[in-house]
Amino acid sequence: QQTQDTNFRMEGDKPIQIESDQLEVFDQENTAIFTGNVVVVQGPTQMRSNFMKVFYSDKKEQPSQGEAKPASTTGQNSSDIDRIEVGGKVYVNSGTQTATGDEGSFDMRANVLRLTGKEVVLSDGGNVLTGCALTVQTETGKARLEACGGNRVRMVISPDSE
Amino acid sequence: CSVQPLYGTSGSATMNRLPIEVADVSGPDRPAFMLRDELVFLINGGRSQPVGAPFRLDIVLERKNRVSNTAPVADGEINRTFAGQVELRANYELVNVETDEVITSGRRRAFAQYDRSTQLYALRAAQEDAEEDAARELARIVVLAINGKLKTYVAPQIVVK
Amino acid sequence: APAAPPPASDVNLASALGAPDPERMLIEAQTLEYDIDGGTVTVYGAVRIYYQGNSLVADRVTYDQKGRKLQAVGNVELVQPGGTIINAAVLDITDDFANGFVNALRVTTPNRTFFGAQSAVRQPGDVTIFNSAVYTACEPCEENPDKSPIWRIKSRRVIWDGEAKTVTFDDPTFEFLGVPLFRVGGFTIDDPTVKRKSGFLFPTFGRSSNLGYYFGTPYYFALSPSSEAIFRPVVYSKQGLLLSGFYARRFANGYASISAAGIYQLDPDGFGETNVSNGKTLRGMVGTRGQFTINKNFIFGWNVLAESDKNFAKLYDIENYTQSERVSEVWLQGSNDRNWLDLRAGRFQVQESVTDDEISARHRSQPWFLPSADYRRVDEDIAGGELRTRVNTRTIYRQRLRTYDNQAGTELIGVPGPEGLSSRLTAESTWRRQLITDNGLVVTPLLSGRVDVIETDFYDETDAALATLAANQGTSYDERELAARGMATAAVQVSYPFLFSAAGSSHVIEPIGQIIARPDAPYQETFGLPNEDAQALTFTAANLFDIDKFSGMDRMEGGTRANVGLRYVGTFDNGWRANALVGQSYHLAGENPFADPDIVKTGMFSGLEDDVSDVVAQFGINTPGGLQASFDTRISKDDGNPDRLAARLSYVSDKWSLGVGYSSVEGQPGYGLYERNEEGSVAGSLKFAEHWTAFAKAAYNFDQEYISTTTTGLAYEDSCYTFAGGYSMSRNDSSEISHDFKVFMSFRTLVDIGEDARPSFDQ
């Protein structure tokens, strides 16, 4: 039986680990910007991109100030994060599910992952879905993929995949 | 325009007797049999038919039988259609067995006539004999037609990978 | 550290999307909702799904991947690998598209037949059950698809079995032009390609001088998928009720059928003294036909008619047995590569209305042929050539002498039908070989030997007639109970084909010379040997190079003869094809067999009777565009006029077609026609409106100055229904003029009724 479906879930109370080449923090706006090989890991879910902006909820403490050097914040509790925005070849993986796109955002409160781009690809076991706007309710595991412009959403299902 | 003996080997590479397998002719039994029998002789000259020949001749034969000239005839002064005409039509395809390419195809016709005797046994004999004559003449025409084409046909080189 | 992200190309989306791999299901739509946990996918907006050769189009599709079920809703169209198209409102189906429930659908089969139904269920074994269904073969009309088609069958249930290829209708109603014609019990038709259904056939009606007005209502029984029967009662106003029945059975390797009919004539004396039907009350017939393939080489068959008198089946129009000249026989025929066998026995019949004692009565003098055989065998590679062996035997018995006099009636000139028995056994073997020299000369030597044994047992009256005829031809008649004769032939044919290649065409011209050396045929100068299968001799280009030009083996060609000719074969790049042959024959030495006396003067008017023969020629040309022309002629060496000519010109296109034919035969008073006879024929058709075609055909006899046959008619033809009505007048063999109106109707894939009067155009 394949691993339990994680549907890109990011639990609020689990530690979240973020790495990147540079980090800039803007206290007054409660935001932090990670740039260059950004990697976010939480439990089985992992997100990668070139650029990430994190919006913290106001009452929590933030990562150390100012230096734009390889920074890694571990032990940070994701419940302090309202929302994450990522850009530049976004790749999200969780168990057997993988999604790629150009930009994305992850609303920790509503547990909604959103990926957009010229070609957003979601693969789940043998099924491969492509479109241009993907919305995943990570709580319920419901994904919604839309086409834009003339082209259309596509899904390829291999017979043996569950 | 160029003139050369059809079967001559002087000046061109084709052998005189190209191995062609004559497939079963589909059409009315008797004339189809006679057509194939004469074709096999004209292609092999009496030697045994080639096995695994590189060319195959497929033919569909159609027969048309017409009667005409209703007039009083000597036997019994009755009005009777006196003249019978047989037309045999061969739709043929010469195929390169290796590549399945159709080298040449066409539709050729041969004719024969017979008198419609008042004695019906004689009438059937005359009609069958006319069909056989037309079938053998059709074979001669088809052989000349395909050999005319084979003369200038260069088989595509089959590169064995 | 987490693995590097797989570059998009690894997942080869392009190939997955480009060419849909049949093993994987491809779904395309505007929007897709995917329940990752539940494994269900809902797509909507111009949904298109490809899987294992099926392609499905719908407004919305929900696919339960775990349950392997697919539900398509809204403008659903499923095209299956075999070409079947299913249109439906709702389609519940398993994901291999094999089983499921379909709602409010229309199905189009590969050969353009259509099912419509409220609902349908597809079951394993490629079975589809349609509820309250409609079946038709008529193309739905684009403008308003709901217009009712010309014909359709409505039934409570239709079961379409794709594997057994049968379509079964439960209590169907046949609707013609929207009007329900008749309800028919349940019936099965084989998959839409086979035409069988039970029910009333088209009634026959009309009037004939001796039988009065008649009306018949045939009823067709589709007894089982392989057997059928027709019961055909016909009421005649003058002669009463005719009962006729037909039963046919199909087997794995053949078919057999039997017909029987009978009548009690109410007005037997209404036919006239010299009519064979006169004075008869109880009349009837039994007829049987069949053909079976014994193995891949042999076919066995029979076609036998026995009737109370010689004109019953023709007069009362018993289907399959109405020919005026026919043969009742049993036969076995087989061939294998170049070997041939034909064995048959039977009797020729003439259905004529004149009584036997009339001069023109022919039936009783038609022969019985007891077991006659023609066996041919070819052995290849014998001394570099082929050895052809032929054994041919025939035995003829005739009940009644048949002779005829000249036109003035003053001199006996022909004895075509001796009374009594004659039989011949012939064994012949021929060796021939074709050599091609390096410079392209084709040489064909031939050696042949033949032996005949002939037994004759004629009645005295025949012997007397033959003696008189011999005297009239300046020879004598030797009665020969048993005779043997032989022939040895040496021949060589030389031909030199040349290839002329021009820009857009190539031409082969082949000059041919043939010399045949033989002694004279024995017993030819006097009478005594029978001639049953070589009575007719027609010298044309086709038999110019025959070693023995007689049409049968009763006559044997002797003497030394040369045949010369030129053959042409043309091939044009625009697809035209032409071929021709012209030649002449020369009697060099010995007895010219075609000038010898003969019981019907065979050969004496053939054009071969003098040392230099007439010139024979034939020519044929056909074009891909539908135009073709041909002629086949024998031109008299004396006056240059064609003693025999058959010429034809025809053009066939989808808009209109025209065929013109001409045939003339020189007079041969001693043998056939009293005087020269010319006949022309023309046939044309014009498609004057969509689906509507008018056609006409006529044959005119210049010497008799009458039109021998005309047919005019109208035809309607569309995707599922054909109607052809033709009125034709013809003057048949015994100069009775008959008029009849032929109606032909065909409901495509269902049934054909009547006889198609439309002429073929290469006249």
Side-chain angles (χ1 to χ4, degrees):
Chain A
Q1 232 286 341
Q2 47 102 289
T3 60
Q4 209 275 338
D5 273 347
T6 54
N7 308 326
F8 308 106
R9 192 171 304 111
M10 297 255 195
E11 281 90 2
D13 46 13
K14 290 275 184 349
I16 187 166
Q17 179 203 343
I18 304 175
E19 284 173 15
S20 75
D21 297 347
Q22 285 88 27
L23 165 64
E24 283 173 280
V25 179
F26 304 87
D27 281 343
Q28 59 291 20
E29 289 145 9
N30 276 327
T31 64
I33 294 181
F34 300 76
T35 51
N37 296 318
V38 180
V39 174
V40 179
V41 174
Q42 198 216 27
T45 302
Q46 182 194 103
M47 189 187 294
R48 302 162 148 276
S49 64
N50 293 343
F51 157 84
M52 182 164 80
K53 183 174 185 180
V54 176
F55 297 81
Y56 294 99
S57 47
D58 43 21
K59 57 186 179 347
K60 64 106 212 64
E61 44 91 19
Q62 292 168 336
S64 54
Q65 255 308 38
E67 320 85 354
K69 61 171 173 40
S72 71
T73 60
T74 55
Q76 172 125 21
N77 200 320
S78 59
S79 62
D80 316 335
I81 299 177
D82 275 353
R83 186 161 48 67
I84 300 175
E85 280 177 5
V86 285
K89 284 177 83 289
V90 181
Y91 162 79
V92 186
N93 170 272
S94 148
T96 61
Q97 291 132 17
T98 308
T100 58
D102 296 342
E103 297 89 26
S105 72
F106 195 89
D107 180 335
M108 304 293 267
R109 294 289 162 258
N111 279 311
V112 169
L113 164 71
R114 229 183 114 64
L115 273 178
T116 57
K118 202 169 66 55
E119 192 177 66
V120 173
V121 176
L122 163 64
S123 71
D124 166 37
N127 302 343
V128 176
L129 298 86
T130 55
C132 82
L134 171 68
T135 315
V136 181
Q137 300 286 348
T138 60
E139 205 53 40
T140 61
K142 296 269 187 311
R144 177 186 170 85
L145 193 61
E146 274 149 319
C148 43
N151 49 37
R152 294 140 60 73
V153 172
R154 281 211 180 93
M155 176 172 186
V156 177
I157 302 172
S158 305
D160 42 19
S161 74
E162 250 316 295
Chain B
C1 90
S2 77
V3 182
Q4 57 182 318
L6 177 65
Y7 292 126
T9 55
S10 56
S12 74
T14 53
M15 287 192 325
N16 278 346
R17 200 161 294 293
L18 291 175
I20 299 170
E21 180 215 342
V22 184
D24 280 343
V25 174
S26 83
D29 295 346
R30 216 166 177 286
F33 173 85
M34 303 298 175
L35 172 65
R36 180 174 183 280
D37 180 51
E38 193 67 16
L39 278 169
V40 169
F41 172 71
L42 294 173
I43 288 171
N44 303 297
R47 270 179 298 289
S48 46
Q49 299 173 51
V51 176
F55 303 109
R56 189 188 66 244
L57 183 57
D58 296 332
I59 294 189
V60 173
L61 181 66
E62 291 163 43
R63 166 178 56 191
K64 251 190 119 41
N65 201 336
R66 300 184 187 85
V67 293
S68 62
N69 298 86
T70 307
V73 292
D75 176 2
E77 295 120 27
I78 46 160
N79 256 335
R80 191 165 155 59
T81 48
F82 178 79
Q85 289 111 25
V86 171
E87 173 182 339
L88 290 183
R89 195 187 315 206
N91 301 292
Y92 65 89
E93 264 187 359
L94 183 66
V95 177
N96 177 325
V97 175
E98 204 78 31
T99 61
D100 235 358
E101 168 213 3
V102 175
I103 301 166
T104 180
S105 68
R107 192 155 65 98
R108 300 283 173 170
R109 301 183 298 157
F111 309 87
Q113 298 193 55
Y114 61 96
D115 296 341
R116 289 170 45 76
S117 310
T118 50
Q119 283 296 321
L120 300 180
Y121 185 80
L123 167 61
R124 176 192 278 190
Q127 182 180 339
E128 285 180 353
D129 182 64
E131 278 173 13
E132 179 167 354
D133 290 341
R136 293 194 187 276
E137 176 57 23
L138 191 55
R140 295 171 200 131
I141 294 169
V142 168
V143 164
L144 289 182
I146 56 176
N147 276 298
K149 181 67 187 169
L150 275 179
K151 186 83 178 174
T152 56
Y153 172 72
V154 177
Q157 290 315 320
I158 297 118
V159 176
V160 179
K161 283 188 272 316
Chain C
S9 60
D10 261 4
V11 186
N12 62 38
L13 292 178
S15 72
L17 308 182
D21 156 8
E23 279 325 303
R24 300 150 68 96
M25 178 185 291
L26 166 65
I27 303 178
E28 281 181 1
Q30 230 86 52
T31 311
L32 180 145
E33 276 161 9
Y34 179 40
D35 173 353
I36 302 176
D37 289 349
T40 59
V41 182
T42 307
V43 277
Y44 36 94
V47 177
R48 203 180 273 289
I49 300 181
Y50 304 100
Y51 183 47
Q52 292 192 336
N54 296 281
S55 87
L56 176 74
V57 172
D59 295 345
R60 187 164 63 83
V61 174
T62 309
Y63 173 41
D64 167 3
Q65 212 174 342
K66 287 201 177 60
R68 302 188 72 86
K69 286 201 81 49
L70 205 80
Q71 193 202 47
V73 175
N75 300 319
V76 181
E77 175 165 303
L78 167 63
V79 180
Q80 298 186 311
T84 306
I85 306 167
I86 299 182
N87 301 82
V90 172
L91 180 68
D92 279 317
I93 204 160
T94 51
D95 69 358
D96 60 5
F97 295 88
N99 312 314
F101 181 79
V102 189
N103 210 304
L105 89 161
R106 208 162 36 79
V107 174
T108 312
T109 66
N111 54 14
R112 305 303 295 169
T113 55
F114 306 90
F115 294 92
Q118 274 316 318
S119 65
V121 180
R122 281 180 67 76
Q123 292 178 338
D126 195 6
V127 169
T128 311
I129 300 177
F130 301 99
N131 300 315
S132 59
V134 172
Y135 167 80
T136 179
C138 302
E139 206 81 35
C141 122
E142 270 70 24
E143 293 82 26
N144 54 22
D146 306 329
K147 179 158 104 41
S148 84
I150 291 184
W151 64 267
R152 60 184 174 187
I153 300 182
K154 281 186 171 174
S155 50
R156 196 170 44 78
R157 222 163 57 116
V158 174
I159 300 139
W160 175 29
D161 184 331
E163 265 162 25
K165 288 225 176 300
T166 58
V167 177
T168 310
F169 298 85
D170 279 359
D171 80 67
T173 305
F174 184 80
E175 233 185 54
F176 187 69
L177 297 177
V179 173
L181 271 188
F182 38 78
R183 295 180 64 77
V184 187
F187 65 88
T188 304
I189 61 173
D190 290 353
D191 200 323
T193 49
V194 175
K195 302 182 272 296
R196 285 172 68 249
K197 75 169 186 55
S198 290
F200 285 100
L201 292 179
F202 199 78
T204 55
F205 50 85
R207 195 187 84 73
S208 104
S209 48
N210 298 326
L211 306 176
Y213 290 94
Y214 62 88
F215 181 79
T217 54
Y219 190 85
Y220 175 87
F221 297 90
L223 303 173
S224 77
S226 64
S227 65
E228 56 193 12
I230 301 178
F231 174 63
R232 198 181 263 116
V234 183
V235 177
Y236 291 88
S237 60
K238 276 191 184 164
Q239 301 300 349
L241 176 65
L242 169 83
L243 295 176
S244 101
F246 164 83
Y247 170 79
R249 179 90 194 282
R250 244 199 317 253
F251 300 87
N253 60 349
Y255 78 90
S257 75
I258 185 158
S259 305
I263 187 167
Y264 185 89
Q265 289 191 150
L266 302 177
D267 174 11
D269 303 329
F271 292 92
E273 279 315 312
T274 64
N275 192 312
V276 70
S277 307
N278 204 43
K280 293 187 169 60
T281 49
L282 207 55
R283 298 174 74 187
M285 62 75 77
V286 174
T288 171
R289 297 149 43 98
Q291 181 166 315
F292 287 88
T293 316
I294 302 171
N295 58 34
K296 70 175 177 51
N297 298 331
F298 282 94
I299 299 179
F300 167 75
W302 71 89
N303 178 342
V304 176
L305 163 65
E307 47 187 354
S308 58
D309 58 81
K310 62 181 180 177
N311 201 33
F312 171 78
K314 179 179 169 193
L315 182 66
Y316 284 98
D317 200 17
I318 308 299
E319 197 175 356
N320 295 329
Y321 296 95
T322 57
Q323 315 87 345
S324 47
E325 290 178 354
R326 54 166 282 113
V327 60
S328 287
E329 64 182 337
V330 180
W331 50 274
L332 171 73
Q333 184 180 292
S335 71
N336 168 14
D337 190 21
R338 301 179 72 192
N339 308 323
W340 172 267
L341 174 67
D342 182 283
L343 265 174
R344 62 189 66 225
R347 187 220 164 143
F348 282 92
Q349 297 163 309
V350 173
Q351 297 201 74
E352 55 192 358
S353 56
V354 291
T355 50
D356 283 344
D357 41 31
E358 289 298 309
I359 174 80
S360 60
R362 295 170 50 223
H363 173 65
R364 276 173 59 74
S365 61
Q366 293 301 331
W368 290 79
F369 51 102
L370 306 179
S372 298
D374 187 27
Y375 169 69
R376 300 177 189 223
R377 179 190 163 79
V378 175
D379 295 291
E380 292 162 346
D381 242 342
I382 310 283
E386 66 178 25
L387 186 64
R388 310 172 63 84
T389 311
R390 183 173 180 195
V391 175
N392 179 300
T393 174
R394 65 137 184 88
T395 304
I396 292 282
Y397 169 72
R398 185 172 290 100
Q399 290 169 276
R400 190 163 180 237
L401 171 64
R402 177 77 189 170
T403 64
Y404 57 86
D405 296 347
N406 57 7
Q407 208 165 8
T410 57
E411 184 198 352
L412 172 69
I413 54 170
V415 179
E419 185 185 359
L421 188 79
S422 80
S423 59
R424 169 184 50 79
L425 170 64
T426 298
E428 176 183 51
S429 76
T430 307
W431 176 87
R432 67 177 174 162
R433 173 179 186 182
Q434 187 185 65
L435 300 138
I436 300 185
T437 63
D438 277 351
N439 43 37
L441 193 68
V442 181
V443 181
T444 311
L446 176 142
L447 294 168
S448 167
R450 168 178 161 179
V451 170
D452 293 4
V453 175
I454 300 157
E455 196 218 341
T456 315
D457 180 6
F458 289 153
Y459 283 67
D460 299 343
E461 198 196 352
T462 299
D463 290 335
L466 287 172
T468 317
L469 185 64
N472 295 348
Q473 290 190 19
T475 176
S476 64
Y477 170 53
D478 316 334
E479 263 180 69
R480 290 190 190 82
E481 299 284 330
L482 191 61
R485 65 181 181 188
M487 177 55 74
T489 309
V492 66
Q493 176 180 303
V494 176
S495 75
Y496 209 155
F498 272 81
L499 176 64
F500 296 79
S501 321
S505 61
S506 70
H507 312 269
V508 174
I509 293 184
E510 179 186 34
I512 310 142
Q514 182 188 52
I515 298 220
I516 308 167
R518 277 177 295 222
D520 292 344
Y523 311 116
Q524 273 318 118
E525 279 129 48
T526 63
F527 273 29
L529 293 186
N531 177 3
E532 291 289 349
D533 64 6
Q535 291 193 5
L537 176 64
T538 317
F539 175 46
T540 64
N543 55 12
L544 170 61
F545 293 109
D546 272 14
I547 297 296
D548 185 322
K549 291 186 172 45
F550 284 113
S551 68
M553 298 183 110
D554 281 350
R555 287 295 305 270
M556 184 193 273
E557 187 177 340
T560 301
R561 176 167 291 278
N563 302 313
V564 172
L566 196 69
R567 182 174 293 118
Y568 163 74
V569 168
T571 309
F572 300 81
D573 293 353
N574 58 13
W576 289 42
R577 297 281 188 269
N579 45 273
L581 173 62
V582 60
Q584 199 168 29
S585 182
Y586 310 95
H587 174 72
L588 302 179
E591 185 69 37
N592 182 343
F594 306 108
D596 280 344
D598 179 271
I599 58 171
V600 283
K601 294 187 179 157
T602 307
M604 286 188 186
F605 304 88
S606 65
L608 288 164
E609 64 278 10
D610 299 330
D611 285 351
V612 175
S613 84
D614 291 343
V615 173
V616 284
Q618 75 175 239
F619 168 80
I621 187 161
N622 38 30
T623 75
L627 180 73
Q628 60 179 21
S630 69
F631 69 79
D632 182 19
T633 183
R634 172 166 61 86
I635 297 164
S636 158
K637 63 173 186 324
D638 305 325
D639 54 27
N641 295 332
D643 282 357
R644 187 98 182 205
L645 172 61
R648 240 163 280 293
L649 175 69
S650 66
Y651 174 71
V652 177
S653 76
D654 44 25
K655 194 81 178 67
W656 59 280
S657 309
L658 183 66
V660 176
Y662 170 81
S663 168
S664 74
V665 184
E666 190 49 58
Q668 303 160 353
Y671 156 75
L673 294 174
Y674 283 131
E675 69 261 330
R676 182 175 178 73
N677 186 281
E678 293 172 275
E679 193 170 281
S681 67
V682 65
S685 84
L686 179 68
K687 191 170 186 182
F688 57 89
E690 207 209 354
H691 302 313
W692 287 94
T693 310
F695 57 85
K697 182 178 86 166
Y700 178 74
N701 196 304
F702 296 90
D703 301 278
Q704 312 292 323
E705 276 102 25
Y706 60 72
I707 293 181
S708 48
T709 60
T710 60
T711 304
T712 52
L714 212 55
Y716 170 90
E717 187 167 5
D718 69 10
S719 66
C720 65
Y721 173 67
T722 306
F723 169 85
Y727 163 75
S728 61
M729 182 289 290
S730 65
R731 178 189 287 261
N732 58 26
D733 288 355
S734 43
S735 77
E736 291 151 9
I737 298 181
S738 70
H739 310 262
D740 68 55
F741 184 72
K742 289 199 182 88
V743 170
F744 171 73
M745 276 212 289
S746 155
F747 300 96
R748 186 170 70 87
T749 74
L750 215 48
V751 71
D752 288 356
I753 297 168
E755 208 186 311
D756 194 342
R758 290 174 290 183
S760 78
F761 286 101
D762 47 6
Q763 265 310 296

